[in-house]
C-alpha cells in the first residue's frame, strides 16, 4: 500500500486526472503488476510483439503516436525508439517509473493529455476524441479503450446512463483513430471473464459491434488470478488487436 501511495503522489497528471482518481488507478495497476508479474507476462509480451510486428506500416518520416502509455509495461520501447522519427507517448498520468524509463531513450517523449476531452469539465464526451488526426506515421491505442470511462462509470456499469457514457467515450476514440491520416493499431480487451469454480460470468468491456470486424490477433490476459480479488475468484480478459486505415 505504501508503494502504491508513493506511485500516486509522485505521478504527474493532466488537468482533471488526479481529481478523477486516475493517479490512484494507475498506482493500483502498478501494485497488481508487482503481485502478478508471472500471470501478466504473456499478455505484456504479446502486446509488445504485436506492436513491433506492425511498425513497418508506419510512415518513416512521421513520429509514432502511442495512446495509453501508462506504466510502459506493455510497450516495446526499444522498437518504438528505433522508428526513424521517434515516438510520442501519451497518457493522462505519468508515473515516476515511466518518466525514468522514457528518459533512457533519445527518440521517445512523454506528453500528458486528456484523450477523453472531458476529465476537467462536466461536458458530454465529444463525438470524436481530441486526438491529433495528422502529423503522425502511425497511431497505437494500447490497452486503453476499455479504461476510458473509469472516471465516469463503474465497471460493470450500474445503470443506463453509465452504459451510455461508456459507449460514447469508446465510440469517440474509435472514430478518432479511423479519421487519422495514418494506420492505427487498436489493442484492447473486449470481455472480462469472471470464473467462480466451474461457473464463468462474462462481462462485456467493449461492444464488439463497435469494433471494425474480427481482430487480427486475440489472446488472454490473466489479470487477477485467484487470491488477487478473493480466493474463489479468477479473472481474465479477452484481448484483441485491430489494424485500421491500412
Amino acid at each position: 500500500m505504501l508503494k502504491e501511495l508513493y506511485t500516486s503522489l509522485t505521478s504527474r497528471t493532466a488537468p482533471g486526472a488526479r481529481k478523477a482518481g486516475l493517479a490512484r488507478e494507475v498506482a493500483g495497476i502498478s501494485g497488481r503488476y508487482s503481485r502478478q508479474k508471472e500471470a501478466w507476462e504473456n499478455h505484456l509480451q504479446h502486446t509488445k510483439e504485436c506492436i513491433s510486428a506492425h511498425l513497418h506500416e508506419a510512415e518513416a518520416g512521421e513520429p509514432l503516436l502511442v495512446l495509453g502509455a501508462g506504466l510502459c509495461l506493455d510497450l516495446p520501447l526499444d522498437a518504438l525508439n528505433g522508428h526513424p522519427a521517434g515516438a510520442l507517448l501519451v497518457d493522462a498520468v505519468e508515473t515516476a517509473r515511466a518518466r525514468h524509463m522514457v528518459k533512457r531513450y533519445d527518440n521517445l517523449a512523454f506528453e500528458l493529455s486528456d484523450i477523453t476531452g472531458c476529465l476537467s469539465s462536466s461536458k458530454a464526451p465529444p463525438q470524436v476524441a481530441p486526438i491529433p488526426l495528422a502529423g503522425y506515421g502511425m497511431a497505437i491505442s494500447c490497452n486503453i479503450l476499455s479504461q476510458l470511462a473509469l472516471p465516469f462509470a463503474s465497471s460493470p456499469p450500474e445503470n443506463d446512463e453509465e452504459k451510455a457514457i461508456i459507449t460514447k467515450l469508446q465510440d469517440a476514440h474509435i472514430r478518432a483513430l479511423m479519421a487519422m491520416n495514418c494506420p492505427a493499431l487498436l489493442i484492447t480487451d473486449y470481455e472480462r471473464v469472471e470464473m467462480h469454480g466451474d461457473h464463468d460470468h462474462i462481462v462485456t468491456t467493449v461492444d464488439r459491434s463497435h469494433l471494425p470486424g474480427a481482430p487480427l490477433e486475440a489472446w488472454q490476459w490473466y489479470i487477477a488470478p485467484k487470491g488477487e480479488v478473493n480466493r474463489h475468484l479468477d479473472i481474465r480478459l479477452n484481448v484483441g488487436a485491430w489494424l485500421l486505415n491500412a
Side-chain angles (χ1 to χ4, degrees), residues 104-148:
R104 300 173 190 168
Y105 296 91
D106 295 333
N107 228 10
L108 301 181
F110 199 110
E111 180 179 285
L112 289 167
S113 182
D114 168 20
I115 60 174
T116 70
C118 46
L119 277 179
S120 58
S121 72
S122 57
K123 295 180 180 178
Q127 289 293 310
V128 178
I131 296 167
L133 303 182
Y136 293 93
M138 184 177 196
I140 302 163
S141 175
C142 190
N143 293 307
I144 190 65
L145 182 65
S146 69
Q147 307 299 305
L148 292 172

Side-chain angles (χ1 to χ4, degrees), residues 171-194:
D171 283 354
H173 189 81
I174 294 172
R175 286 193 194 100
L177 293 177
M178 297 184 74
M180 297 185 75
N181 65 349
C182 65
L185 180 64
L186 170 64
I187 300 175
T188 183
D189 63 273
Y190 53 88
E191 285 179 342
R192 181 170 68 247
V193 182
E194 300 176 353

Side-chain angles (χ1 to χ4, degrees), residues 18 24 94 101 108 135 155-156 174 184 192 237 244:
R18 187 173 296 278
R24 184 173 62 252
E94 181 191 34
M101 290 177 69
L108 301 181
S155 180
I174 294 172
R192 181 170 68 247
L237 301 176
L244 317 176

Side-chain angles (χ1 to χ4, degrees), residues 8-246:
S8 177
L9 292 176
T10 57
S11 293
R12 297 172 181 170
T13 58
R18 187 173 296 278
K19 184 177 180 180
L22 290 183
R24 184 173 62 252
E25 179 69 26
V26 170
I29 293 171
S30 177
R32 179 171 288 179
Y33 167 68
S34 68
R35 295 187 296 272
Q36 303 295 346
K37 287 183 181 180
E38 184 176 351
W40 286 27
E41 180 58 31
N42 178 68
H43 163 69
L44 298 179
Q45 187 61 30
H46 207 135
T47 301
K48 291 175 183 178
E49 291 175 357
C50 182
I51 293 171
S52 298
H54 290 94
L55 290 183
H56 70 277
E57 303 275 355
E59 170 60 47
E62 301 284 359
L64 306 168
L65 178 66
V66 181
L67 305 168
L71 294 160
C72 299
L73 298 172
D74 47 7
L75 298 181
L77 295 180
D78 289 340
L80 297 173
N81 187 66
H83 181 70
L88 178 64
L89 315 184
V90 176
D91 206 290
V93 178
E94 181 191 34
T95 64
R97 180 185 187 278
R99 189 156 57 246
H100 294 149
M101 290 177 69
V102 172
K103 280 184 178 179
R104 300 173 190 168
Y105 296 91
D106 295 333
N107 228 10
L108 301 181
F110 199 110
E111 180 179 285
L112 289 167
S113 182
D114 168 20
I115 60 174
T116 70
C118 46
L119 277 179
S120 58
S121 72
S122 57
K123 295 180 180 178
Q127 289 293 310
V128 178
I131 296 167
L133 303 182
Y136 293 93
M138 184 177 196
I140 302 163
S141 175
C142 190
N143 293 307
I144 190 65
L145 182 65
S146 69
Q147 307 299 305
L148 292 172
L150 284 177
F152 314 102
S154 305
S155 180
E158 294 182 351
N159 51 51
D160 289 343
E161 182 179 358
E162 290 191 351
K163 290 179 182 178
I165 291 172
I166 292 171
T167 298
K168 287 178 180 177
L169 286 167
Q170 292 179 352
D171 283 354
H173 189 81
I174 294 172
R175 286 193 194 100
L177 293 177
M178 297 184 74
M180 297 185 75
N181 65 349
C182 65
L185 180 64
L186 170 64
I187 300 175
T188 183
D189 63 273
Y190 53 88
E191 285 179 342
R192 181 170 68 247
V193 182
E194 300 176 353
M195 294 163 282
H196 302 262
D198 296 329
H199 303 286
D200 291 358
H201 175 58
I202 298 177
V203 178
T204 297
T205 56
V206 175
D207 189 335
R208 286 286 297 273
S209 68
H210 296 215
L211 295 169
L216 295 172
E217 300 179 49
W219 62 91
Q220 294 182 327
W221 179 3
Y222 291 89
I223 191 169
K226 288 179 181 178
E228 177 63 34
V229 177
N230 67 54
R231 62 192 181 94
H232 301 294
L233 180 62
D234 198 347
I235 302 175
R236 71 173 187 265
L237 301 176
N238 290 329
V239 182
W242 289 259
L243 185 62
L244 317 176
N245 311 336

